[in-house]
Amino acid sequence: MRLTAALLVALLVAAGAYVIFFVAPTELRQREIQRIFYFHVGSAWTAGVAFFIVFIANIAFLFRRAMKWDRLAVSAAEVGLAFCTVVLITGPIWAKPVWGVAWVWDARLTTTAVLWLLYVSYLLLRSFIADAERRAVASAAFGVFAFLDVPLVYFSIRIWRTQHPSPVIAGGEGSGLDPVMWNVFLFNWVALLGVMALLMWKRYRVETLRHEIEELEVELEWRAGEAQNQAVAVER
Amino acid sequence: MSALRAAVVIFGKELRTEFRTRELLNTTVVFVLMILILFSFTMDPTAEESRRFTSGLLWLAILFAGALMLFPSFTREQANDTLDALRMAPVPAFAIVLGKVLANFAFLTLAEWLMLPVFSVLYDVSLVRVLWQMLLVFALGTLGLAVTGTAFSAVAAHARMREMLLPLMLLPLLTPVLIASVEATAALLAREPQFDLTWVKILLGFDVVFLAATYLVADALVEE
């Protein structure tokens, strides 16, 4: 089952790469570099989905108090952060030849950078709280704050300054994507969502196993204590 | 006892504890003052330059001060397990958090009022003609800082390295407050002062969103 899923995702990613380079038309002005778009925007949307899952899992944990929500939240946060990092790396690679500079302090770039920092803080917070229950409660509360902050960050920076091209997909008049490009994009997005789901699933397994190990260690300690008590009793 | 009444009582208790030692107030004032003085070395502190740079400097100093000083707001209760006593009181968790938010807001605002005249003299900017607008911007920005800072003080209370962790969580979250307060302050300090309502609305939005969020997660913040 797991192997089949992994193979399927690998196949999707490979086919996605093929259509990016051999099926999608070359953009008129930017030429080949524009092909990074499928990866850049696809990763951004995927990171958005992952962070939304973190938010839902945080809320669900605060209301239901089941540890499975905490495990889902940390899995989604780590995977989302990975995709967010991809966005921040592919962005400058694309921007340098097209805009002439690798980085500008525009609304979407800055928001992505702040978003990245917020989820790094989320994971740092988790790593500094030893008790599992407390870690879950504290990080869920912080996660809710972090997610609510994103639209505020975006709007405040947007009013402040903006250089990023206005949205090509679902933007205003004159925007829009070539239908072939659109299909290539969607195909690749599905592939990236597959990667996200696979990684989250693996991460969730690891977190569950870690939890089991912790429980077994506690039990082991308890049994060792019992055995020692018995030994003392026998000696007497 | 209504939640609001309980919040006011806790607010009073926080004030009494603080004014016994004045730790928070003293350190905040000295910290911001120190940054103001040290920063003058990195630029030419004439009136013209001041108008360009100092609103950002002032707000960064305040946010850093908040990120460092709000930290004891919940950990102070750990020393004598007084948070347990608060928890046992038959009041909603939000009342406890709100009382602390109001107290922290009051301390930070008082510190700012002490600091603003000094800032005005050191950097040769005139505050008198825009005083009311300035106080409004400072009140809204400080409320945002107090709400999130108090909530995160509770979040970080059980973490290792919590002194470091609070600024790491708080400062990126405060990006909208920083932008809006700096822009509003800069517009007020300009040669032709302007009161820009856009930024005031953003500050107000931030305060409302995070007060609501604090209300939502208050139980999680106060629980053992």
Side-chain angles (χ1 to χ4, degrees), chain A residues 108-163:
Chain A
R108 255 175 286 175
L109 278 79
T110 316
T111 307
T112 313
V114 173
L115 189 68
W116 189 86
L117 278 176
L118 281 171
Y119 283 90
V120 168
S121 298
Y122 175 86
L123 293 177
L124 268 177
L125 170 69
R126 295 186 61 93
S127 70
F128 285 133
I129 305 181
D131 182 77
E133 192 80 23
R134 274 183 181 156
R135 179 170 59 222
V137 175
S139 65
F142 177 69
V144 170
F145 275 71
F147 191 82
L148 290 178
D149 197 41
V150 175
L152 286 165
V153 173
Y154 181 73
F155 281 116
S156 54
I157 303 175
R158 191 185 175 129
I159 297 170
W160 185 45
R161 51 167 73 137
T162 256
Q163 149 151 21

Short mmCIF file of all heavy atoms in Angstrom, two decimals, chain A residues 108-163:
data_model
loop_
_atom_site.label_atom_id
_atom_site.label_comp_id
_atom_site.label_asym_id
_atom_site.label_seq_id
_atom_site.Cartn_x
_atom_site.Cartn_y
_atom_site.Cartn_z
N ARG A 108 3.86 39.94 -1.47
CA ARG A 108 3.80 38.48 -1.40
C ARG A 108 5.12 37.88 -0.96
O ARG A 108 5.15 36.90 -0.21
CB ARG A 108 3.36 37.91 -2.74
CG ARG A 108 1.91 37.44 -2.65
CD ARG A 108 1.39 36.97 -3.96
NE ARG A 108 1.13 38.08 -4.82
CZ ARG A 108 0.76 37.95 -6.08
NH1 ARG A 108 0.61 36.76 -6.60
NH2 ARG A 108 0.51 39.00 -6.82
N LEU A 109 6.23 38.47 -1.41
CA LEU A 109 7.53 37.94 -0.99
C LEU A 109 7.71 38.09 0.51
O LEU A 109 8.09 37.15 1.21
CB LEU A 109 8.67 38.69 -1.70
CG LEU A 109 9.02 38.25 -3.12
CD1 LEU A 109 8.03 38.81 -4.10
CD2 LEU A 109 10.41 38.65 -3.47
N THR A 110 7.42 39.30 1.00
CA THR A 110 7.62 39.54 2.42
C THR A 110 6.68 38.69 3.26
O THR A 110 7.08 38.15 4.29
CB THR A 110 7.42 41.03 2.73
OG1 THR A 110 8.08 41.78 1.72
CG2 THR A 110 8.00 41.40 4.07
N THR A 111 5.42 38.56 2.79
CA THR A 111 4.48 37.73 3.55
C THR A 111 4.98 36.30 3.62
O THR A 111 4.91 35.65 4.67
CB THR A 111 3.09 37.76 2.89
OG1 THR A 111 2.69 39.12 2.72
CG2 THR A 111 2.06 37.06 3.75
N THR A 112 5.49 35.78 2.48
CA THR A 112 6.01 34.41 2.49
C THR A 112 7.17 34.28 3.47
O THR A 112 7.27 33.30 4.21
CB THR A 112 6.47 34.01 1.08
OG1 THR A 112 5.45 34.37 0.16
CG2 THR A 112 6.72 32.52 0.99
N ALA A 113 8.05 35.30 3.50
CA ALA A 113 9.18 35.25 4.42
C ALA A 113 8.70 35.26 5.88
O ALA A 113 9.19 34.49 6.71
CB ALA A 113 10.12 36.43 4.17
N VAL A 114 7.70 36.11 6.18
CA VAL A 114 7.17 36.17 7.54
C VAL A 114 6.49 34.85 7.90
O VAL A 114 6.66 34.31 9.00
CB VAL A 114 6.19 37.35 7.70
CG1 VAL A 114 5.50 37.32 9.05
CG2 VAL A 114 6.93 38.67 7.54
N LEU A 115 5.74 34.30 6.93
CA LEU A 115 5.07 33.02 7.12
C LEU A 115 6.09 31.93 7.47
O LEU A 115 5.90 31.14 8.40
CB LEU A 115 4.35 32.65 5.82
CG LEU A 115 3.42 31.46 5.82
CD1 LEU A 115 2.21 31.77 6.67
CD2 LEU A 115 2.97 31.13 4.40
N TRP A 116 7.18 31.94 6.73
CA TRP A 116 8.25 30.97 6.95
C TRP A 116 8.78 31.11 8.37
O TRP A 116 8.92 30.12 9.10
CB TRP A 116 9.35 31.22 5.91
CG TRP A 116 10.42 30.19 5.88
CD1 TRP A 116 10.41 29.02 5.18
CD2 TRP A 116 11.69 30.24 6.55
NE1 TRP A 116 11.57 28.34 5.40
CE2 TRP A 116 12.37 29.05 6.22
CE3 TRP A 116 12.30 31.17 7.39
CZ2 TRP A 116 13.65 28.78 6.71
CZ3 TRP A 116 13.57 30.89 7.88
CH2 TRP A 116 14.22 29.71 7.54
N LEU A 117 9.05 32.36 8.79
CA LEU A 117 9.56 32.61 10.15
C LEU A 117 8.57 32.12 11.20
O LEU A 117 8.97 31.52 12.21
CB LEU A 117 9.78 34.11 10.35
CG LEU A 117 11.08 34.69 9.81
CD1 LEU A 117 11.08 36.20 10.01
CD2 LEU A 117 12.26 34.08 10.53
N LEU A 118 7.27 32.39 10.98
CA LEU A 118 6.26 32.01 11.97
C LEU A 118 6.23 30.50 12.18
O LEU A 118 6.14 30.02 13.31
CB LEU A 118 4.87 32.50 11.53
CG LEU A 118 4.58 33.98 11.76
CD1 LEU A 118 3.28 34.39 11.10
CD2 LEU A 118 4.51 34.27 13.26
N TYR A 119 6.33 29.75 11.09
CA TYR A 119 6.27 28.29 11.25
C TYR A 119 7.59 27.71 11.74
O TYR A 119 7.60 26.66 12.38
CB TYR A 119 5.72 27.62 9.99
CG TYR A 119 4.22 27.81 9.95
CD1 TYR A 119 3.66 28.91 9.33
CD2 TYR A 119 3.38 26.95 10.64
CE1 TYR A 119 2.28 29.13 9.36
CE2 TYR A 119 2.02 27.16 10.67
CZ TYR A 119 1.47 28.25 10.03
OH TYR A 119 0.13 28.47 10.09
N VAL A 120 8.71 28.40 11.47
CA VAL A 120 9.96 28.00 12.12
C VAL A 120 9.82 28.17 13.63
O VAL A 120 10.19 27.29 14.42
CB VAL A 120 11.15 28.83 11.58
CG1 VAL A 120 12.38 28.62 12.44
CG2 VAL A 120 11.47 28.44 10.14
N SER A 121 9.23 29.31 14.05
CA SER A 121 9.00 29.55 15.48
C SER A 121 8.08 28.48 16.07
O SER A 121 8.29 28.04 17.19
CB SER A 121 8.38 30.92 15.71
OG SER A 121 9.24 31.92 15.27
N TYR A 122 7.08 28.10 15.30
CA TYR A 122 6.15 27.06 15.74
C TYR A 122 6.91 25.77 16.07
O TYR A 122 6.72 25.17 17.12
CB TYR A 122 5.11 26.82 14.64
CG TYR A 122 4.15 25.69 14.88
CD1 TYR A 122 2.98 25.88 15.59
CD2 TYR A 122 4.40 24.42 14.36
CE1 TYR A 122 2.10 24.85 15.80
CE2 TYR A 122 3.52 23.37 14.56
CZ TYR A 122 2.38 23.59 15.28
OH TYR A 122 1.50 22.56 15.49
N LEU A 123 7.81 25.38 15.15
CA LEU A 123 8.56 24.14 15.37
C LEU A 123 9.59 24.31 16.49
O LEU A 123 9.82 23.39 17.27
CB LEU A 123 9.25 23.70 14.08
CG LEU A 123 8.27 23.27 12.98
CD1 LEU A 123 9.02 22.91 11.71
CD2 LEU A 123 7.43 22.08 13.43
N LEU A 124 10.19 25.52 16.59
CA LEU A 124 11.13 25.79 17.68
C LEU A 124 10.43 25.67 19.03
O LEU A 124 10.94 25.03 19.95
CB LEU A 124 11.69 27.20 17.55
CG LEU A 124 12.98 27.37 16.77
CD1 LEU A 124 13.34 28.84 16.69
CD2 LEU A 124 14.10 26.58 17.40
N LEU A 125 9.25 26.29 19.12
CA LEU A 125 8.47 26.23 20.36
C LEU A 125 8.24 24.77 20.75
O LEU A 125 8.43 24.39 21.90
CB LEU A 125 7.13 26.94 20.16
CG LEU A 125 6.09 26.78 21.27
CD1 LEU A 125 6.55 27.51 22.53
CD2 LEU A 125 4.74 27.30 20.84
N ARG A 126 7.86 23.97 19.77
CA ARG A 126 7.61 22.55 20.06
C ARG A 126 8.85 21.86 20.59
O ARG A 126 8.79 21.05 21.51
CB ARG A 126 7.11 21.82 18.80
CG ARG A 126 5.78 22.30 18.31
CD ARG A 126 5.33 21.43 17.18
NE ARG A 126 5.17 20.05 17.62
CZ ARG A 126 4.03 19.54 18.05
NH1 ARG A 126 2.95 20.28 18.08
NH2 ARG A 126 3.97 18.29 18.45
N SER A 127 10.00 22.20 19.98
CA SER A 127 11.22 21.49 20.36
C SER A 127 11.67 21.88 21.78
O SER A 127 12.49 21.18 22.36
CB SER A 127 12.33 21.77 19.35
OG SER A 127 12.75 23.10 19.47
N PHE A 128 11.15 22.99 22.32
CA PHE A 128 11.60 23.42 23.63
C PHE A 128 10.66 23.04 24.77
O PHE A 128 10.88 23.43 25.91
CB PHE A 128 11.83 24.94 23.65
CG PHE A 128 13.09 25.34 22.94
CD1 PHE A 128 13.09 26.38 22.04
CD2 PHE A 128 14.27 24.65 23.17
CE1 PHE A 128 14.24 26.74 21.38
CE2 PHE A 128 15.43 25.01 22.51
CZ PHE A 128 15.41 26.05 21.62
N ILE A 129 9.57 22.34 24.46
CA ILE A 129 8.67 21.89 25.54
C ILE A 129 8.73 20.37 25.61
O ILE A 129 8.39 19.69 24.64
CB ILE A 129 7.22 22.37 25.30
CG1 ILE A 129 7.20 23.89 25.13
CG2 ILE A 129 6.34 21.97 26.47
CD1 ILE A 129 5.84 24.47 24.93
N ALA A 130 9.19 19.87 26.75
CA ALA A 130 9.46 18.43 26.86
C ALA A 130 8.17 17.63 27.01
O ALA A 130 8.00 16.58 26.41
CB ALA A 130 10.39 18.18 28.03
N ASP A 131 7.23 18.14 27.81
CA ASP A 131 6.02 17.39 28.11
C ASP A 131 5.07 17.39 26.90
O ASP A 131 4.71 18.46 26.38
CB ASP A 131 5.34 18.05 29.32
CG ASP A 131 4.08 17.30 29.72
OD1 ASP A 131 4.23 16.24 30.34
OD2 ASP A 131 2.98 17.76 29.40
N ALA A 132 4.66 16.20 26.45
CA ALA A 132 3.90 16.08 25.21
C ALA A 132 2.57 16.83 25.27
O ALA A 132 2.20 17.52 24.32
CB ALA A 132 3.66 14.61 24.89
N GLU A 133 1.87 16.70 26.40
CA GLU A 133 0.57 17.34 26.53
C GLU A 133 0.69 18.86 26.47
O GLU A 133 0.00 19.55 25.73
CB GLU A 133 -0.06 16.91 27.86
CG GLU A 133 -1.52 17.26 28.01
CD GLU A 133 -2.42 16.27 27.28
OE1 GLU A 133 -1.97 15.12 27.05
OE2 GLU A 133 -3.54 16.64 26.96
N ARG A 134 1.64 19.40 27.25
CA ARG A 134 1.86 20.84 27.28
C ARG A 134 2.30 21.35 25.92
O ARG A 134 1.89 22.42 25.48
CB ARG A 134 2.94 21.18 28.29
CG ARG A 134 2.39 21.34 29.67
CD ARG A 134 3.48 21.74 30.61
NE ARG A 134 2.93 21.87 31.95
CZ ARG A 134 3.66 21.75 33.04
NH1 ARG A 134 4.95 21.50 32.96
NH2 ARG A 134 3.11 21.88 34.22
N ARG A 135 3.17 20.55 25.27
CA ARG A 135 3.67 20.95 23.95
C ARG A 135 2.50 21.09 22.98
O ARG A 135 2.40 22.06 22.24
CB ARG A 135 4.64 19.88 23.44
CG ARG A 135 5.20 20.18 22.07
CD ARG A 135 6.32 19.23 21.73
NE ARG A 135 5.85 17.85 21.77
CZ ARG A 135 6.54 16.83 22.30
NH1 ARG A 135 7.72 17.05 22.83
NH2 ARG A 135 6.06 15.62 22.28
N ALA A 136 1.58 20.14 23.05
CA ALA A 136 0.44 20.16 22.14
C ALA A 136 -0.44 21.38 22.39
O ALA A 136 -0.81 22.09 21.44
CB ALA A 136 -0.37 18.87 22.31
N VAL A 137 -0.72 21.67 23.66
CA VAL A 137 -1.60 22.81 23.98
C VAL A 137 -0.95 24.12 23.57
O VAL A 137 -1.55 24.96 22.87
CB VAL A 137 -1.92 22.82 25.49
CG1 VAL A 137 -2.73 24.06 25.84
CG2 VAL A 137 -2.67 21.57 25.89
N ALA A 138 0.32 24.31 23.98
CA ALA A 138 0.99 25.59 23.71
C ALA A 138 1.13 25.81 22.20
O ALA A 138 0.86 26.90 21.70
CB ALA A 138 2.37 25.60 24.38
N SER A 139 1.55 24.77 21.48
CA SER A 139 1.79 24.98 20.05
C SER A 139 0.47 25.16 19.30
O SER A 139 0.42 25.90 18.32
CB SER A 139 2.62 23.85 19.45
OG SER A 139 1.92 22.65 19.51
N ALA A 140 -0.61 24.53 19.77
CA ALA A 140 -1.90 24.73 19.11
C ALA A 140 -2.34 26.18 19.26
O ALA A 140 -2.81 26.81 18.31
CB ALA A 140 -2.94 23.79 19.68
N ALA A 141 -2.17 26.73 20.48
CA ALA A 141 -2.55 28.13 20.69
C ALA A 141 -1.72 29.04 19.79
O ALA A 141 -2.25 29.93 19.12
CB ALA A 141 -2.36 28.50 22.16
N PHE A 142 -0.41 28.81 19.75
CA PHE A 142 0.45 29.65 18.90
C PHE A 142 0.09 29.48 17.43
O PHE A 142 0.08 30.46 16.67
CB PHE A 142 1.92 29.30 19.13
CG PHE A 142 2.85 30.07 18.22
CD1 PHE A 142 3.02 31.44 18.40
CD2 PHE A 142 3.53 29.44 17.20
CE1 PHE A 142 3.85 32.15 17.56
CE2 PHE A 142 4.36 30.16 16.35
CZ PHE A 142 4.53 31.52 16.54
N GLY A 143 -0.21 28.24 17.02
CA GLY A 143 -0.55 27.99 15.62
C GLY A 143 -1.77 28.77 15.17
O GLY A 143 -1.79 29.31 14.06
N VAL A 144 -2.78 28.88 16.05
CA VAL A 144 -3.98 29.66 15.71
C VAL A 144 -3.60 31.12 15.49
O VAL A 144 -3.98 31.74 14.49
CB VAL A 144 -5.04 29.53 16.84
CG1 VAL A 144 -6.17 30.51 16.61
CG2 VAL A 144 -5.57 28.11 16.90
N PHE A 145 -2.79 31.68 16.39
CA PHE A 145 -2.36 33.08 16.25
C PHE A 145 -1.58 33.25 14.94
O PHE A 145 -1.80 34.21 14.21
CB PHE A 145 -1.46 33.47 17.43
CG PHE A 145 -2.22 33.93 18.63
CD1 PHE A 145 -2.94 33.04 19.39
CD2 PHE A 145 -2.22 35.27 18.99
CE1 PHE A 145 -3.65 33.46 20.50
CE2 PHE A 145 -2.93 35.70 20.10
CZ PHE A 145 -3.64 34.80 20.86
N ALA A 146 -0.66 32.34 14.68
CA ALA A 146 0.20 32.48 13.49
C ALA A 146 -0.62 32.50 12.21
O ALA A 146 -0.42 33.34 11.34
CB ALA A 146 1.23 31.35 13.45
N PHE A 147 -1.59 31.60 12.12
CA PHE A 147 -2.37 31.52 10.88
C PHE A 147 -3.25 32.76 10.70
O PHE A 147 -3.36 33.30 9.59
CB PHE A 147 -3.24 30.26 10.88
CG PHE A 147 -3.85 29.97 9.54
CD1 PHE A 147 -3.13 29.33 8.56
CD2 PHE A 147 -5.15 30.36 9.25
CE1 PHE A 147 -3.68 29.08 7.31
CE2 PHE A 147 -5.71 30.12 8.01
CZ PHE A 147 -4.97 29.47 7.04
N LEU A 148 -3.84 33.24 11.80
CA LEU A 148 -4.69 34.44 11.71
C LEU A 148 -3.87 35.66 11.30
O LEU A 148 -4.41 36.63 10.76
CB LEU A 148 -5.38 34.70 13.06
CG LEU A 148 -6.46 33.71 13.45
CD1 LEU A 148 -7.01 34.06 14.83
CD2 LEU A 148 -7.60 33.73 12.44
N ASP A 149 -2.57 35.62 11.58
CA ASP A 149 -1.72 36.77 11.31
C ASP A 149 -1.47 36.95 9.81
O ASP A 149 -1.24 38.07 9.35
CB ASP A 149 -0.39 36.59 12.05
CG ASP A 149 0.38 37.89 12.15
OD1 ASP A 149 -0.26 38.92 12.42
OD2 ASP A 149 1.60 37.88 11.97
N VAL A 150 -1.52 35.84 9.06
CA VAL A 150 -1.08 35.89 7.66
C VAL A 150 -1.86 36.91 6.81
O VAL A 150 -1.24 37.74 6.15
CB VAL A 150 -1.12 34.48 7.04
CG1 VAL A 150 -0.77 34.53 5.56
CG2 VAL A 150 -0.16 33.57 7.77
N PRO A 151 -3.21 36.90 6.83
CA PRO A 151 -3.90 37.93 6.04
C PRO A 151 -3.56 39.35 6.48
O PRO A 151 -3.44 40.25 5.65
CB PRO A 151 -5.39 37.62 6.26
CG PRO A 151 -5.47 36.61 7.32
CD PRO A 151 -4.15 35.94 7.44
N LEU A 152 -3.38 39.55 7.79
CA LEU A 152 -3.04 40.90 8.29
C LEU A 152 -1.68 41.34 7.76
O LEU A 152 -1.51 42.48 7.33
CB LEU A 152 -3.03 40.90 9.82
CG LEU A 152 -4.39 40.85 10.48
CD1 LEU A 152 -4.26 40.50 11.95
CD2 LEU A 152 -5.08 42.20 10.34
N VAL A 153 -0.72 40.41 7.80
CA VAL A 153 0.61 40.73 7.26
C VAL A 153 0.48 41.10 5.79
O VAL A 153 0.99 42.12 5.33
CB VAL A 153 1.57 39.52 7.42
CG1 VAL A 153 2.88 39.79 6.71
CG2 VAL A 153 1.82 39.22 8.88
N TYR A 154 -0.27 40.27 5.07
CA TYR A 154 -0.39 40.48 3.63
C TYR A 154 -1.00 41.84 3.32
O TYR A 154 -0.46 42.60 2.51
CB TYR A 154 -1.24 39.37 3.01
CG TYR A 154 -1.38 39.53 1.52
CD1 TYR A 154 -0.30 39.26 0.68
CD2 TYR A 154 -2.56 40.00 0.96
CE1 TYR A 154 -0.41 39.44 -0.69
CE2 TYR A 154 -2.67 40.18 -0.41
CZ TYR A 154 -1.59 39.89 -1.23
OH TYR A 154 -1.69 40.09 -2.56
N PHE A 155 -2.10 42.19 3.99
CA PHE A 155 -2.76 43.46 3.66
C PHE A 155 -1.93 44.65 4.05
O PHE A 155 -1.86 45.63 3.32
CB PHE A 155 -4.15 43.52 4.30
CG PHE A 155 -5.15 42.74 3.52
CD1 PHE A 155 -5.78 41.64 4.05
CD2 PHE A 155 -5.43 43.09 2.20
CE1 PHE A 155 -6.68 40.89 3.30
CE2 PHE A 155 -6.33 42.36 1.45
CZ PHE A 155 -6.95 41.26 2.00
N SER A 156 -1.27 44.55 5.23
CA SER A 156 -0.48 45.72 5.64
C SER A 156 0.69 45.94 4.67
O SER A 156 0.99 47.08 4.31
CB SER A 156 0.01 45.57 7.08
OG SER A 156 0.69 44.37 7.24
N ILE A 157 1.32 44.87 4.22
CA ILE A 157 2.45 45.06 3.30
C ILE A 157 1.94 45.48 1.92
O ILE A 157 2.59 46.25 1.22
CB ILE A 157 3.31 43.79 3.20
CG1 ILE A 157 3.80 43.38 4.59
CG2 ILE A 157 4.50 44.03 2.31
CD1 ILE A 157 4.54 42.09 4.61
N ARG A 158 0.78 44.98 1.56
CA ARG A 158 0.24 45.32 0.26
C ARG A 158 -0.06 46.82 0.14
O ARG A 158 0.21 47.44 -0.88
CB ARG A 158 -1.04 44.52 0.01
CG ARG A 158 -1.49 44.64 -1.41
CD ARG A 158 -2.82 43.94 -1.59
NE ARG A 158 -3.26 44.18 -2.95
CZ ARG A 158 -3.64 43.23 -3.77
NH1 ARG A 158 -3.64 41.98 -3.37
NH2 ARG A 158 -4.03 43.51 -4.98
N ILE A 159 -0.60 47.39 1.20
CA ILE A 159 -0.86 48.83 1.19
C ILE A 159 0.46 49.59 1.16
O ILE A 159 0.59 50.64 0.57
CB ILE A 159 -1.68 49.23 2.43
CG1 ILE A 159 -3.03 48.54 2.39
CG2 ILE A 159 -1.86 50.73 2.52
CD1 ILE A 159 -3.82 48.66 3.66
N TRP A 160 1.44 48.99 1.80
CA TRP A 160 2.74 49.65 1.99
C TRP A 160 3.52 49.71 0.69
O TRP A 160 3.90 50.76 0.23
CB TRP A 160 3.46 48.85 3.08
CG TRP A 160 4.74 49.37 3.53
CD1 TRP A 160 5.05 50.66 3.84
CD2 TRP A 160 5.92 48.61 3.77
NE1 TRP A 160 6.34 50.73 4.25
CE2 TRP A 160 6.88 49.50 4.23
CE3 TRP A 160 6.22 47.25 3.64
CZ2 TRP A 160 8.17 49.06 4.55
CZ3 TRP A 160 7.47 46.83 3.98
CH2 TRP A 160 8.44 47.73 4.43
N ARG A 161 3.73 48.60 0.03
CA ARG A 161 4.43 48.59 -1.25
C ARG A 161 4.18 47.27 -1.99
O ARG A 161 4.04 46.23 -1.39
CB ARG A 161 5.93 48.77 -1.05
CG ARG A 161 6.53 47.84 -0.04
CD ARG A 161 8.01 47.84 -0.09
NE ARG A 161 8.60 49.05 0.48
CZ ARG A 161 9.66 49.05 1.28
NH1 ARG A 161 10.22 47.92 1.60
NH2 ARG A 161 10.15 50.15 1.74
N THR A 162 4.15 47.36 -3.32
CA THR A 162 3.94 46.14 -4.08
C THR A 162 4.63 46.18 -5.43
O THR A 162 4.59 47.16 -6.14
CB THR A 162 2.44 45.86 -4.21
OG1 THR A 162 2.11 44.81 -3.30
CG2 THR A 162 2.04 45.42 -5.58
N GLN A 163 5.32 45.08 -5.76
CA GLN A 163 5.99 45.00 -7.05
C GLN A 163 5.70 43.69 -7.78
O GLN A 163 5.74 43.63 -9.00
CB GLN A 163 7.51 45.14 -6.85
CG GLN A 163 8.32 44.38 -7.88
CD GLN A 163 9.64 45.01 -8.17
OE1 GLN A 163 10.16 45.78 -7.38
NE2 GLN A 163 10.20 44.67 -9.31
#
